[in-house]
Amino acid sequence: QVQLVESGGGVVQAGGSLRLSCAASGRTVSQSHMGWFRQAPGKEREFVTAINWSGLYTYYADSVKGRFTISRDRATNTVYLQMASLKPEDTAVYYCASTVSYLSGANYYRSDNYNYWGRGTQVIVSP
């Protein structure tokens, strides 16, 4: 079992920055690939970014590439999502997810490949 707890959400003006954190606990955290997904009101959950278990490989949705950065601190089992140049369309509930399943390439983008999920943290970007 892996437990994930997101924090750092809030209200920010367009163009601003925010950093989300995902505190992970559990026996398999160190071998887990981690991802961030988001869900806006009335829309389906969508992939934002992911990082592999070692931290060497990262993946980004085109909509956030160049603005968002994912990182992980293996010493504290924390995954971060640094968001910059925020836009109103980034408004959503952001979820942290993890899996120990083998992933490669496009498989990181699929939510059904992740086994554990946090409860989410709300991000609101005002115009």
Side-chain angles (χ1 to χ4, degrees):
Q1 286 281 352
V2 172
Q3 292 78 42
L4 304 171
V5 179
E6 304 96 334
S7 63
V11 181
V12 63
Q13 285 190 327
S17 300
L18 211 56
R19 189 178 80 160
L20 306 183
S21 300
C22 173
S25 59
R27 193 168 50 86
T28 59
V29 169
S30 62
Q31 302 105 51
S32 298
H33 308 300
M34 306 294 294
W36 285 97
F37 291 76
R38 67 185 182 187
Q39 188 166 19
K43 295 188 177 181
E44 292 188 354
R45 189 171 298 187
E46 65 173 0
F47 171 80
V48 177
T49 180
I51 188 167
N52 82 318
W53 71 271
S54 69
L56 284 178
Y57 300 101
T58 57
Y59 306 83
Y60 294 93
D62 288 343
S63 59
V64 306
K65 204 170 291 183
R67 299 188 298 122
F68 290 11
T69 303
I70 189 172
S71 61
R72 69 187 299 167
D73 183 337
R74 291 174 59 79
T76 62
N77 290 332
T78 304
V79 178
Y80 298 101
L81 177 60
Q82 180 67 50
M83 305 184 293
S85 302
L86 283 161
K87 305 174 181 180
E89 50 263 45
D90 294 318
T91 294
V93 177
Y94 284 71
Y95 297 92
C96 180
S98 73
T99 181
V100 293
S101 301
Y102 173 77
L103 296 179
S104 64
N107 288 330
Y108 278 91
Y109 294 70
R110 293 182 52 173
S111 61
D112 56 359
N113 284 330
Y114 293 80
N115 308 111
Y116 300 102
W117 293 82
R119 293 191 173 186
T121 185
Q122 176 76 58
V123 172
I124 297 174
V125 184
S126 61

